[in-house]
């Protein structure tokens, strides 16, 4: 969803914190969002972050590989090795989506 003209209200870059203020809060923030453990913030840099992402990707790939035999929606073509997903039908429209659609239709009138 987009709001026409919303970019005219504020320049987000003027709302950024000064780097000094960020540094004061960074260690707490990194722990709060789960990017590092208490006391690890000193070693948090681009290389640390990259290792984290690589570890998460490796773990996600291993979980996907382990779950493949039970995944009925994933098909790997035996000739080409290309994976594809079978079409999946939703079990109906969620209540929140239905309400949103109704509100959009109401406002169009």
């Amino acid at each position: 969803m987009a709001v026409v003209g919303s970019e005219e209200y504020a320049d987000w870059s003027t709302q950024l914190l000064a780097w000094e203020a960020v540094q004061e809060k960074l260690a707490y923030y990194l722990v709060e969002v789960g990017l590092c453990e208490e006391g690890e913030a000193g070693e948090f840099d681009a290389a640390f972050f990259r290792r984290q992402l690589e570890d998460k990707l490796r773990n996600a790939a291993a979980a996907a590989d382990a779950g493949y035999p039970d995944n009925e929606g994933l098909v790997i073509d035996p000739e080409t090795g290309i994976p594809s997903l079978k079409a999946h039908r939703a079990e109906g429209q969620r209540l929140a989506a239905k309400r949103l659609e109704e509100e959009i239709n109401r406002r169009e009138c």
Side-chain angles (χ1 to χ4, degrees), residues 42-73:
E43 48 184 293
F44 192 91
D45 59 6
F48 185 92
F49 185 57
R50 179 181 173 166
R51 282 191 307 274
Q52 271 188 326
L53 293 177
E54 288 172 343
D55 288 345
K56 287 182 180 186
L57 179 58
R58 206 173 287 109
N59 292 339
D65 287 348
Y68 172 69
D70 299 326
N71 189 341
E72 297 174 6

Side-chain angles (χ1 to χ4, degrees), residues 20-94:
E20 294 77 26
V22 170
Q23 285 180 310
E24 291 174 17
K25 300 171 191 264
L26 187 58
Y28 173 77
Y29 175 78
L30 293 171
V31 171
E32 186 73 20
V33 299
L35 289 174
C36 69
E37 298 295 322
E38 193 82 38
E40 287 182 333
E43 48 184 293
F44 192 91
D45 59 6
F48 185 92
F49 185 57
R50 179 181 173 166
R51 282 191 307 274
Q52 271 188 326
L53 293 177
E54 288 172 343
D55 288 345
K56 287 182 180 186
L57 179 58
R58 206 173 287 109
N59 292 339
D65 287 348
Y68 172 69
D70 299 326
N71 189 341
E72 297 174 6
L74 178 63
V75 178
I76 298 178
D77 186 293
E79 292 180 22
T80 64
I82 297 174
S84 63
L85 294 173
K86 293 181 182 177
H88 177 72
R89 285 261 179 223
E91 295 179 7
Q93 191 178 33
R94 291 185 177 173

